[in-house]
Amino acid sequence: MGQASVRARLMRADPGTIAQNAELKRFATAYAQPVYDQHCAACHGDRMQGDPRRGVPGFTGKKWLYGEGEVAQIERTILYGIRAGNPKGWNLADMPGFGQPVPYKRYQIPPLEPGEIRDVIEFLLVSGNKPGDKDAAARGSKIFADKGQCFDCHSGDLQGDAAIGAPGLIDGNWLYGTGSREDIYDSVARGRSGICPAFAHELSPVTIRALAVLIYGASHKAAPKTALRSPAAPAGTGG
């Protein structure tokens, strides 16, 4: 079967079924890899590992910033981007810079004092079962729920909201940095509003769908099977 015929089948298929079709998945993966290497790897990494220094997400985990990681949702992001100026793109929320005189451009939010930001950080750490100052966390809880209005995006349970791209704050998955107090302070004080380009006018529809399948596959790899080990072999020695 010719490549043109397979490309047509890829576009006609329901995006949610492609990963279960071995032929289409194999074709899409091979078709998209060179395109990923050319257009995406510089930011997201050659192994899709992302770059927390720049707030670039990886694609190999189960946690998604926007949506639930379905092929159609990934395809939409590639098509229209994030804060890329396309009206169909993800553009519902930014992270305010609470250390700035005017934290947010969308609507009025009061800035936070450095001590208040630190209290919020202790609240996040303690809520995530990390070591922290519980008295400061109690103060931070009130700021999170009131003055900072943080719950509005990150939700009252700190789990985030994938409908607007607001990350969870207690799951250990950090978009920027490693979750240290310094890294969190930098995000809260400076604000964040990363951009992903829209490729709708640069790449063909079939290429974009193939990319979505490739990225989906990276986050849905089967766990490696545990090798059988001789009872005499000590754990962790390999085989």
Side-chain angles (χ1 to χ4, degrees), residues 79-96:
L79 278 166
Y80 306 123
I82 298 169
R83 303 185 191 93
N86 190 297
K88 294 182 179 181
W90 297 98
N91 190 33
L92 294 176
D94 309 319
M95 173 66 192

Side-chain angles (χ1 to χ4, degrees), residues 105-120:
K105 295 180 180 179
R106 295 176 184 264
Y107 51 82
Q108 187 174 358
I109 300 176
L112 299 178
E113 298 295 329
E116 293 176 317
I117 295 176
R118 294 189 184 97
D119 287 346
V120 171

Side-chain angles (χ1 to χ4, degrees), residues 129-230:
N129 296 316
K130 302 290 193 305
D133 184 328
K134 293 186 178 180
D135 290 336
R139 297 191 300 268
S141 173
K142 296 177 182 179
I143 296 168
F144 185 94
D146 186 12
K147 183 177 180 180
Q149 301 180 37
C150 314
F151 72 92
D152 193 33
C153 289
H154 296 285
S155 75
D157 59 5
L158 290 81
Q159 296 294 332
D161 186 352
I164 61 172
L169 301 174
I170 57 174
D171 57 11
N173 296 312
W174 293 95
L175 184 59
Y176 288 87
T178 62
S180 69
R181 286 175 172 82
E182 293 78 11
D183 288 340
I184 301 173
Y185 190 98
D186 194 42
S187 290
V188 177
R190 292 176 52 191
R192 303 295 187 185
S193 56
I195 294 172
C196 177
F199 286 97
H201 300 298
E202 185 170 351
L203 300 176
S204 69
V206 68
T207 301
I208 290 174
R209 173 156 294 184
L211 272 172
V213 174
L214 173 72
I215 293 169
Y216 175 91
S219 66
H220 289 76
K221 289 182 178 178
K225 295 182 179 179
T226 303
L228 293 177
R229 189 174 66 243
S230 168

Side-chain angles (χ1 to χ4, degrees), residues 71-81 88-91 208 212:
V71 171
Q73 294 169 333
I74 299 170
E75 185 176 18
R76 173 190 167 183
T77 300
I78 300 170
L79 278 166
Y80 306 123
K88 294 182 179 181
W90 297 98
N91 190 33
I208 290 174

